[in-house]
Amino acid sequence: MPETEVDDLDHAILRLLHEDARRTYADMAERIGLSTAATKRRVDRMRESGVITGFTVQVDHARLGWPVEAFSEIRYAGTASVSEIVDSASRQPEVQAVYTLAGDLDALVQVRVRDLAHLQEVIDRLRRNGTVTGTRTLMVLGRWTRT
């Protein structure tokens, strides 16, 4: 897949959309110093080229009753395929993401839970998969993400 060239204005648009995907073209245009039509053309070009793959919502999990975030490092037996790893972990409703990895770990699983007892339940369920050989869980204390 060929790389798509984006310039500083495209990056500025991406930052604004990352902050608020419902932002209007007029608002973005005013903030970056382009016309509304030029801004829309840039967004359309980035969508058509696959740079922008969709628009999403950010959820405050604490308000939903799942304030605890953790990452579980999981090792699987040598016979487990990537699709089996993703399938077994993603069946758990608390699992937010599954990252398959190269190296000592096979997967890094992001989970959201109510409390530590709930986290233990989730880890126990993940371990019940017959091909899991070990886990290590890290609790998230704070978060910073690039916009």
Side-chain angles (χ1 to χ4, degrees):
M1 175 175 279
E3 218 175 87
T4 302
E5 287 193 35
V6 295
D7 62 17
D8 290 343
L9 289 172
D10 293 331
H11 282 288
I13 290 169
L14 292 171
R15 274 191 302 278
L16 290 169
L17 287 171
H18 186 71
E19 290 170 6
D20 181 0
R22 294 182 60 177
R23 193 178 300 271
T24 66
Y25 294 119
D27 178 60
M28 288 187 288
E30 182 179 321
R31 290 171 186 262
I32 63 172
L34 285 180
S35 70
T36 301
T39 302
K40 182 182 182 321
R41 281 193 301 274
R42 284 174 174 267
V43 171
D44 290 345
R45 179 181 46 80
M46 287 190 284
R47 288 184 72 192
E48 290 165 8
S49 68
V51 170
I52 295 174
T53 58
F55 298 88
T56 188
V57 63
Q58 292 180 3
V59 176
D60 184 339
H61 295 313
R63 290 183 181 261
L64 294 175
W66 288 17
V68 177
E69 181 179 24
F71 286 87
S72 233
E73 300 173 345
I74 303 181
R75 289 175 183 76
Y76 290 83
T79 58
S81 70
V82 170
S83 61
E84 289 172 315
I85 291 169
V86 172
D87 184 55
S88 69
S90 65
R91 277 185 265 145
Q92 307 301 322
E94 298 87 352
V95 170
Q96 302 294 297
V98 179
Y99 303 92
T100 55
L101 308 169
D104 292 338
L105 299 174
D106 295 304
L108 185 62
V109 177
Q110 178 187 18
V111 298
R112 286 279 188 173
V113 293
R114 290 183 304 274
D115 52 33
L116 295 181
H118 189 194
L119 178 59
Q120 183 63 56
E121 280 176 40
V122 173
I123 294 168
D124 287 345
R125 276 189 263 133
L126 290 169
R127 287 180 178 157
R128 281 191 207 120
N129 177 322
T131 59
V132 172
T133 62
T135 63
R136 184 174 85 161
T137 301
L138 307 163
M139 300 279 300
V140 175
L141 300 178
R143 170 188 283 260
W144 174 89
T145 57
R146 182 167 306 279
T147 57

